[in-house]
Amino acid sequence: MQKNLTKTPVLTILLFSNFITYFAIDKSGSKFPVSELVGKNILLYFSAQRRRPRRAFLPKLIEAHHTKAKDNAFEVRVSNLVGKIVGFYFSGSWCGPCRNFTPLLVEVYEQLSSKGDFEVVFISSDGDDESFNTYFSEMPWLAIPFSDTETRLRLKEVFEVRGIPHLVIFDTNGKVSCDDGVSTVMEHGVDGYPFNLDRLNFLKEQEENAKKNQTISSILVSSSRDYVISNDGKKIPLLDLEGKLVGLYFSIHTMCGEFTPKLVELYKTLKEKGENFEVVLISLDYDEEDFKESFETMPWLALPFKDKSCKKLAQYFELRTIPNLVIIGQDGKTLNPNVAELIEDHGIEAYPFTPEKLDELAAIEKAKLESQTLESVLVNGENDFVIDKSGSKVPVSELVGKNILLYFSAQWCPPCRAFLPKLIEAYHTIKAKDNAVEVIFISSDSDQTTFDEFYSEMPWLALPFGDERKQILSRKFKIQGIPAAVAIGPSGRTITKEARMHLTAYGADAFPFTEEHLKQLEEELEEKAKGWPEKVKHELHTEHELIRTKRKAYVCNGCRETGYRWSFYCKQCDFNLQPKCALKEDEDTGTEKGKEGWVCDGDVCRRA
């Protein structure tokens, strides 16, 4: 139903009485006052080629007449924001990343308050007024009133807010200067001001120059600190690290419990040998007790807890994984961005982490792969067996000469439970053709009961629950997420670490997973794809047609499974459907939660 605007002054309709722009423009771009339109019949034509927030003007986005001030005692007219740099901060008290980011934004805001030209407007995603007020009380800036639901929802729609925290920054002319303010503030802090492209390009150029002229001091020194600390509280001058091989150890206490003891062992061994090597802990812990508990077990140095350099260094080295050990050479340049995996695989043999050493290790690894046998994979000391459904031991020697599938999985993992019936079906089909095939379940379950329940659904062998070989195999095959399946041929050599992907794409036909066989299957699929329509319309995506597109891997927006090679795809919306979903009715679009400490996305679960 259309609203009756006949009694609303045209000036109010256009400007909502407090917008900065009190004029319209003609085709040539010339301005003329809106007041000249009063008394005329006006047709308002709202149009856009494609709505993008960066084209928007700040005053036209806040149709409410006021924002609420921090102490709730008075209201601030939107016109007071004109000429300022303004950030729209989409956040919610229930959101962990928001709670972590807000103090950083508060710090930046307070540092810029003396300039008088920077303001933030909080746009809440809270579910009730009490949560809003409690969270807003921690903020020194303004907010859209919680009661103004219409404006809050409209702003989220205009800026296509798909996740929080989200920060959009406007320049003094009311145009969007930065639509990823969270990353900008996290990476640059107050140095990013005024948060426009020119400033960010300058900082990028500055960072590139810094990397060219990098020294250990330029990395670790800050304006307020020229030292690191030992775990007994002593301050060690950074000059003492010059000329040494230094490992910057990025760590989170709860995530590095397995790697830290290995690094301690390597560190002590190198010190006993008199090697000129040092480690500096760069803690990314949120809780000081976690930092203290972790640091007291470490014989090396650290940056102080919550030092501002910690997050900056994580950005500087483009940190992607934890644990991460960046090696800085004796000349102060980055020698290797992460040797944690090398230390896990090779221990002291990985030192001194030079390109020559890495080539040497790669040659050793290649030789190991070429000489690999099933026993070398599955036997570890006295653990030379797997178990069958009855719990009886099956010697690994009895499996030699068979095709083996190592199946990494867990009951708590929804994608694992979804994949299991498909694997069982493929197993029975393959077994009917070739009995010299076996699957070995390698569990990531947290207790014996859960292991027993999940294993009871499976018709194959398993490693006993809690077997130390699980960690060894996970490292050997670099298992980053579950479910995963590694195919080992009759010779004992690894055929593929992507057997699960091939089973998902081809089912039992993927066996025996050899390169030649998979190539043949791909050619057959190419031929089959020629019979599919080039475009389809689907009820799950009515906005645009879906185009038949060749893709490597994606998550299907229909069944939420990972798809491979072919998709019916909308590039504009980044929307995918597997051919089976696009060409027939989808069966299940539900999602489930996984185990705490893991993130399940599509049909894979990874450690958070």
Side-chain angles (χ1 to χ4, degrees), residues 7-50:
K7 296 183 179 181
T8 306
V10 68
L11 191 64
T12 304
I13 296 174
L14 289 175
L15 309 176
F16 295 89
S17 79
N18 55 4
F19 290 168
I20 182 174
T21 311
Y22 284 85
F23 56 84
I25 60 173
D26 60 19
K27 291 283 288 183
S28 68
S30 301
K31 302 176 183 178
F32 61 91
V34 172
S35 57
E36 292 184 13
L37 301 177
V38 175
K40 296 183 178 182
N41 290 307
I42 305 296
L43 176 64
L44 301 180
Y45 175 44
F46 297 89
S47 178
Q49 181 179 9
R50 183 169 184 260

Side-chain angles (χ1 to χ4, degrees), residues 464-499:
F465 174 75
D467 195 299
E468 62 182 10
R469 287 175 289 176
K470 185 261 180 184
Q471 297 295 340
I472 296 171
L473 292 169
S474 295
R475 283 200 304 273
K476 177 180 178 62
F477 295 111
K478 296 178 173 47
I479 303 300
Q480 301 297 322
I482 54 175
V486 177
I488 297 174
S491 68
R493 293 185 187 178
T494 303
I495 297 175
T496 179
K497 300 175 187 176
E498 304 293 341

Side-chain angles (χ1 to χ4, degrees), residues 342 346 348-368:
L342 287 172
H346 304 284
I348 192 75
E349 298 301 321
Y351 185 82
F353 317 112
T354 59
E356 294 77 18
K357 174 57 75 170
L358 267 58
D359 289 342
E360 179 185 326
L361 294 175
I364 294 172
E365 192 65 27
K366 183 179 179 181
K368 283 183 179 179

